Amino acid sequence: DTGVSQDPRHKITKRGQNVTFRCDPISEHNRLYWYRQTLGQGPEFLTYFQNEAQLEKSRLLSDRFSAERPKGSFSTLEIQRTEQGDSAMYLCASSLIGGGGTTQYFGPGTRLTVL
Amino acid sequence: DAKTTQPPSMDCAEGRAANLPCNHSTISGNEYVYWYRQIHSQGPQYIIHGLKNNETNEMASLIITEDRKSSTLILPHATLRDTAVYYCIVRDTGANSKLTFGKGITLSVRP
């Protein structure tokens, strides 16, 4: 059983650099979500896709953030000109729409440290 | 904002049942109660969810009160590996269905 995978698991970068994270959802899951989690807090919603369409973006997703899901399978989250405040765990989740109570399954996360 | 309130922490002895409470007094008719847990530095793990009826799976039981304003997650025989932050989430089944996490409850299982 292949769950949600994320790459890399850890990323250390210098302020001002660009970083890109990848998420591979569970096969055939048509919804994909990105969340961000800072120390001591619960995850916060950033954005989500249904197939390749990005349907909602949180106000947390500044102009420096961009997410794509070009073929409706894997997704990438890019952060341009990173700032120290971007240091966090970035989590990806996927679900299969249909019926009530669709469950989101999370990946292991990518921990970003901006120096 | 999260629509649930949970105590910040609790502990229980290994092998005993852990009963984790959650209040969701403003829950509406089409909202489910979900429970996830997060072990340190890992992604959240789905545990169980329910709408009205009590639910049980291999991990836990979920007891929802008749008025649906509160629920309890029961881990029947807690082990040290159950030490984690447990999140109770009320989730609409509508178009977005994003999860809104609170701070959760930290369960510490002691030997």
Side-chain angles (χ1 to χ4, degrees):
Chain A
D1 178 24
T2 303
V4 178
S5 61
Q6 293 187 245
D7 184 71
R9 294 291 307 279
H10 303 274
K11 179 71 177 179
I12 300 174
T13 191
K14 293 182 179 179
R15 189 175 52 188
Q17 298 294 305
N18 299 342
V19 294
T20 300
F21 310 140
R22 176 179 171 126
C23 170
D24 286 89
I26 293 172
S27 179
E28 298 183 356
H29 275 194
N30 47 14
R31 282 194 176 168
L32 187 148
Y33 300 77
W34 286 98
Y35 293 81
R36 182 176 71 181
Q37 185 175 25
T38 54
L39 202 61
Q41 304 297 316
E44 296 174 290
F45 168 78
L46 291 179
T47 187
Y48 92 101
F49 294 82
Q50 183 162 315
N51 299 312
E52 65 275 9
Q54 188 173 17
L55 298 187
E56 184 173 340
K57 293 191 288 187
S58 161
R59 59 178 173 75
L60 295 175
L61 213 64
S62 76
D63 291 345
R64 297 183 296 104
F65 287 70
S66 62
E68 294 182 343
R69 193 183 183 198
K71 298 183 179 178
S73 56
F74 73 92
S75 175
T76 58
L77 177 68
E78 181 183 16
I79 308 174
Q80 297 182 327
R81 305 181 304 281
T82 53
E83 302 172 356
Q84 288 185 324
D86 297 331
S87 294
M89 173 82 87
Y90 290 84
L91 293 159
C92 176
S94 71
S95 69
L96 181 63
I97 186 174
T102 52
T103 299
Q104 293 180 29
Y105 295 92
F106 283 81
T110 295
R111 181 166 297 282
L112 173 67
T113 301
V114 182
L115 301 176
Chain B
D1 290 345
K3 296 181 67 174
T4 62
T5 56
Q6 301 176 258
S9 64
M10 66 176 291
D11 63 18
C12 75
E14 189 176 20
R16 304 298 292 270
N19 298 299
L20 286 72
C22 181
N23 287 320
H24 31 80
S25 58
T26 61
I27 193 170
S28 60
N30 63 341
E31 290 179 321
Y32 282 73
V33 179
Y34 274 76
W35 283 83
Y36 283 79
R37 73 179 183 185
Q38 190 171 26
I39 297 169
H40 183 61
S41 295
Q42 298 181 20
Q45 177 188 21
Y46 165 75
I47 301 173
I48 199 167
H49 74 279
L51 183 63
K52 294 181 183 178
N53 300 322
N54 298 338
E55 302 287 344
T56 296
N57 63 20
E58 65 278 5
M59 290 184 69
S61 295
L62 174 60
I63 309 299
I64 302 174
T65 58
E66 192 170 344
D67 64 6
R68 304 210 323 125
K69 292 185 177 183
S70 66
S71 60
T72 302
L73 179 76
I74 301 173
L75 307 178
H77 305 288
T79 71
L80 298 179
R81 289 179 294 180
D82 292 322
T83 292
V85 178
Y86 288 76
Y87 296 99
C88 170
I89 300 166
V90 164
R91 177 170 174 242
D92 193 343
T93 56
N96 179 327
S97 298
K98 65 185 177 187
L99 296 171
T100 302
F101 289 80
K103 291 193 174 183
I105 178 172
T106 299
L107 173 67
S108 300
V109 180
R110 62 180 186 275

